């Protein structure tokens, strides 16, 4: 493997003392990454959940090339451009009805921060002091100070704890104990918080934890009853992951504010949007400049990224991705079934195209380094998988073929023989 070791690059989520090298990828196509030395990796986690159809989708690449003939970054205050205008109209039509305004930014963390600022601005401009955020246990919303605050506290963010603000945390709706979550939400809502922030149907970085659509619908109902804003973080769930275009659709929920990022350009370029209901936009309308929404990213509504997103929506409009997602859901379900009663694993689960299972690991032993050990094991077999602790998950791009998925699940079974509790 062509491992790059001498490099000034400080990589994300990497302990360089334990992972000194990185595989240098020279080419990506479909479900595959190819290293400089020709070694290939099946990208079974869609390059950290951003790639949807597959790497370098031809129509998206073509749209990017074409847009570069016209525009690069353009100031977006006082000026606008057709890619941003067209994309906003398309997104309003595509997302749950009532999300009528689109605010552009460039990453998942940023679009969640924007959502939180919109919520606080909404209440302040209405003359109510409401600043507290309610969030789900095990949630993840990004790595900036603001989004770490609403996310689960862990060793990953312990050093920054003094800077993190307090939130009201409600328990994850474990199957059979959903009422505890709803009761906790109701109690939290009585304290007049500004908003509830949730990852709809599945908590990603928290360990691919799945919960029921009717619980999501009930959470929305409670928020509406108490006048608490409901913010859906669809950064990971958006664009087909859960089997529908957006996760909220399955619960019939229209969020007050929704965040979309990862799959918006098909994964080709960084772009994010925060969409909101009319009343949130209108709360910021005033002859007083101080009531404006004071937020901007340098690369807000980047025209090339917007063009990529428009091409992505055109691809969805053909109906082909929805058919592929449906087929992939079946393929994933079939392959997961063989692990349902496998004693080496617990909690084999699936939502849409995502499957996850927890490897039963001997007490103590591997627990601290299991994810790294597993990752190396899979990499050596030409598979890009990146377990979350002992949780192995499969999150492939939609172009993946049945035989390719078989490689993944055979390797997972082999890994259990090497690293499982009974080994
Ligand atoms: C990845 C993720 C984010 C953060 O997105 P970035 O683009 O990495 O900043 C926020 N929320 C959820 C649910 C995510 O999965």
């Amino acid at each position: 493997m062509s491992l790059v070791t001498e490099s000034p690059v400080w990589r994300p989520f990497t302990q360089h003392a334990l992972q000194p090298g990185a595989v240098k990828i020279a080419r990506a196509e479909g479900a595959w990454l190819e290293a400089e030395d020709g070694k290939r990796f099946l990208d079974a986690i869609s390059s950290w959940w951003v790639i949807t159809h597959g790497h370098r989708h031809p129509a998206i690449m073509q749209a990017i090339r074409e847009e570069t003939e016209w525009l690069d970054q353009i100031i977006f205050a006082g000026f606008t451009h057709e890619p941003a205008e067209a994309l906003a109209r398309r997104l309003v039509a595509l997302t749950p009805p009532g999300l009528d305004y689109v605010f552009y930014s460039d990453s998942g963390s940023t679009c969640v921060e924007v959502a939180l600022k919109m919520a606080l601005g909404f209440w302040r401009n209405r003359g109510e002091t409401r600043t507290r955020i309610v969030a789900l246990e095990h949630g993840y919303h990004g790595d900036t100070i603001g989004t770490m605050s609403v996310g689960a506290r862990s060793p990953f963010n312990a050093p920054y704890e003094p800077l993190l603000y307090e939130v009201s945390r409600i328990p994850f709706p474990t199957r059979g104990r959903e009422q505890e979550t709803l009761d906790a939400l109701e109690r939290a809502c009585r304290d007049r918080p500004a908003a509830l922030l949730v990852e709809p149907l599945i908590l990603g970085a928290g360990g691919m934890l799945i919960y029921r659509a009717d619980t999501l619908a009930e959470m929305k109902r409670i928020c509406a009853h108490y006048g608490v804003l409901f913010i859906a973080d669809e950064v990971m769930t958006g664009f087909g992951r859960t089997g529908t275009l957006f996760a909220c659709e399955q619960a019939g929920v229209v969020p007050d504010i929704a965040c979309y990022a990862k799959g918006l350009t098909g994964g080709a370029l960084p772009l994010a949007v925060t969409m909101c209901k009319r009343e949130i936009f209108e709360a910021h309308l005033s002859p007083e400049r101080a009531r404006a929404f004071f937020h901007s990213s340098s690369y807000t509504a980047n025209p090339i990224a917007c063009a990529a997103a428009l091409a992505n929506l055109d691809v969805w409009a053909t109906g082909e991705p929805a058919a592929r997602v449906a087929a992939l859901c079946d393929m994933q379900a079939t392959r997961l079934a063989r692990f349902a009663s496998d004693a080496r694993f617990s909690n084999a689960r699936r939502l849409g195209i995502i499957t996850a299972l927890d490897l039963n690991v001997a007490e103590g032993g591997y627990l601290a380094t299991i994810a790294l050990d597993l990752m190396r094991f899979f990499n050596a077999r030409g598979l890009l998988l990146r377990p979350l602790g002992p949780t192995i998950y499969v999150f492939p791009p939609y172009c993946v073929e049945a035989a390719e998925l078989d490689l993944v699940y055979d390797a997972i079974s082999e890994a259990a023989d090497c690293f499982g509790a009974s080994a």
Side-chain angles (χ1 to χ4, degrees):
M1 245 191 274
S2 58
L3 275 188
V4 174
T5 47
E6 298 295 321
S7 160
V9 175
W10 192 342
R11 287 184 295 280
F13 269 96
T14 301
Q15 175 45 269
H16 282 249
L18 297 174
Q19 304 156 269
V23 185
K24 198 168 181 187
I25 297 298
R27 194 159 187 279
E29 177 140 13
W32 292 87
L33 306 179
E34 192 180 313
E36 269 191 342
D37 63 0
K39 185 168 167 54
R40 287 174 14 111
F41 297 85
L42 179 64
D43 188 354
I45 60 163
S46 298
S47 277
W48 251 342
W49 322 340
V50 302
I51 299 297
T52 50
H53 318 292
H55 285 278
R56 293 178 49 247
H57 188 287
I60 298 173
M61 296 296 111
Q62 182 60 24
I64 291 170
R65 277 190 292 270
E66 280 170 15
E67 192 54 43
T68 61
E69 296 294 324
W70 295 94
L71 291 172
D72 51 9
Q73 183 62 36
I74 301 296
I75 182 172
F76 204 59
F79 293 81
T80 189
H81 48 80
E82 188 53 20
E85 294 296 329
L87 179 59
R89 289 191 299 268
R90 295 275 296 272
L91 287 171
V92 168
L94 204 61
T95 51
L99 293 172
D100 288 341
Y101 287 89
V102 181
F103 191 94
Y104 284 107
S105 60
D106 46 24
S107 75
S109 304
T110 312
C111 73
V112 173
E113 297 258 5
V114 164
L116 297 172
K117 286 177 68 171
M118 278 181 181
L120 263 67
F122 171 81
W123 290 115
R124 186 185 172 89
N125 287 343
R126 302 226 322 188
E128 273 193 58
T129 317
R130 288 199 186 209
T131 56
R132 184 172 277 265
I133 305 297
V134 185
L136 267 187
E137 177 193 15
H138 306 308
Y140 176 81
H141 301 284
D143 285 331
T144 56
I145 298 291
T147 56
M148 274 192 297
S149 299
V150 277
R153 303 296 156 94
S154 76
F156 296 147
N157 51 44
Y160 326 112
E161 184 78 42
L163 297 188
L164 305 185
Y165 55 83
E166 259 187 67
V167 301
S168 300
R169 223 170 285 280
I170 59 172
F172 174 78
T174 312
R175 188 159 279 262
R177 297 174 62 179
E178 290 87 355
Q179 196 56 45
E180 290 172 33
T181 302
L182 300 176
D183 292 345
L185 175 59
E186 195 138 15
R187 278 194 300 277
C189 282
R190 291 201 189 100
D191 291 340
R192 307 172 65 75
L196 168 70
L197 170 66
V198 290
E199 293 163 84
L201 302 188
I202 180 166
L203 277 55
M208 298 298 165
L209 304 174
I210 298 165
Y211 64 97
R212 294 166 57 106
D214 56 3
T215 306
L216 181 65
E218 197 56 18
M219 291 197 285
K220 172 66 173 69
R221 193 196 60 75
I222 292 169
C223 286
H225 178 78
Y226 288 95
V228 173
L229 295 176
F230 182 97
I231 307 174
D233 175 355
E234 291 239 25
V235 169
M236 184 196 85
T237 50
F239 298 93
R241 306 323 193 166
T242 66
T244 46
L245 191 56
F246 303 115
C248 282
E249 289 170 29
Q250 293 180 45
V253 158
V254 180
D256 298 303
I257 306 177
C259 310
Y260 307 102
K262 284 181 174 128
L264 179 54
T265 60
L269 285 173
L271 184 69
V273 292
T274 309
M275 297 184 57
C276 69
K277 286 191 176 161
R278 181 170 297 274
E279 67 208 75
I280 293 165
F281 175 80
E282 284 178 351
H284 291 81
L285 277 183
S286 161
E288 283 174 62
R289 186 149 193 271
R291 288 176 182 244
F293 186 54
F294 288 108
H295 192 98
S296 174
S297 306
S298 301
Y299 287 96
T300 185
N302 178 267
I304 303 167
C306 288
L310 279 168
N312 176 42
L313 298 191
D314 286 341
V315 172
W316 278 97
T318 64
E320 205 219 326
R324 281 222 170 236
V325 163
L328 181 52
C329 288
D330 288 344
M331 278 158 50
Q332 286 278 66
T334 314
R335 279 155 191 80
L336 189 67
R338 89 186 219 209
F339 295 99
S341 52
D342 188 328
R344 301 172 303 167
F345 296 96
S346 352
N347 305 323
R349 55 196 182 275
R350 178 183 71 88
L351 178 71
I353 64 107
I354 308 167
T355 59
L357 56 179
D358 306 334
L359 179 61
N360 294 329
V361 182
E363 275 301 313
Y366 283 120
L367 216 46
T369 59
I370 185 72
L372 279 184
D373 295 338
L374 286 168
M375 192 171 77
R376 285 200 192 95
F377 176 92
F378 292 123
N379 283 359
R381 282 156 184 76
L383 301 170
L384 170 50
L385 284 170
R386 223 189 131 89
L388 296 156
T391 300
I392 303 174
Y393 69 91
V394 185
F395 191 125
Y398 309 150
C399 64
V400 77
E401 305 280 351
E404 294 167 339
L405 276 185
D406 286 334
L407 297 176
V408 175
Y409 287 92
D410 289 346
I412 290 174
S413 181
E414 221 189 299
D417 291 336
C418 293
F419 299 101
S422 53

